[in-house]
Amino acid sequence: MDEDLARSCFFRRGNEDFLKHHLLKYPEQDVPIWAVTEVLSFGNLPFLYDLMQTPDARSLARMFGFAHPSRFGAVLRMMVDFRNTCAAPVW
């Protein structure tokens, strides 16, 4: 996983000791995916999906019944928008 992404998530989200430990002790190593997913929000999922290699994205899309990865990516973005709409305060 990209270290810049992990660093930005760390500084944005707060004080996750496990991530800080990894970044300080292993500055030359990629942050493990389990550590990155602990600090990412649901809204980050479509962006991570867009970064996947095409064969991997296609495989994941097929697991959810989509023939083409771009359609699955669109559904992920729609789910984030729907969640945000539902979570917005009603005035």
Side-chain angles (χ1 to χ4, degrees), residues 10-50:
F10 172 73
F11 291 115
R12 182 176 52 81
R13 295 282 312 262
N15 191 18
E16 285 83 1
D17 291 336
F18 61 91
L19 189 54
K20 185 176 181 180
H21 167 78
H22 182 85
L23 292 172
L24 293 174
K25 188 167 183 175
Y26 309 104
E28 299 301 318
Q29 291 183 12
D30 289 339
V31 176
I33 190 67
W34 68 264
V36 175
T37 58
E38 287 289 322
V39 297
L40 292 176
S41 70
F42 183 70
N44 293 122
L45 288 178
F47 298 106
L48 288 177
Y49 181 74
D50 289 341

Side-chain angles (χ1 to χ4, degrees), residues 31-79:
V31 176
I33 190 67
W34 68 264
V36 175
T37 58
E38 287 289 322
V39 297
L40 292 176
S41 70
F42 183 70
N44 293 122
L45 288 178
F47 298 106
L48 288 177
Y49 181 74
D50 289 341
L51 292 173
M52 292 177 74
Q53 298 290 318
T54 302
D56 297 329
R58 183 176 292 115
S59 176
L60 183 61
R62 286 185 178 154
M63 286 182 201
F64 287 93
F66 290 85
H68 198 278
S70 65
R71 297 249 167 97
F72 183 61
V75 169
L76 286 176
R77 287 185 290 281
M78 180 193 66
M79 289 171 43

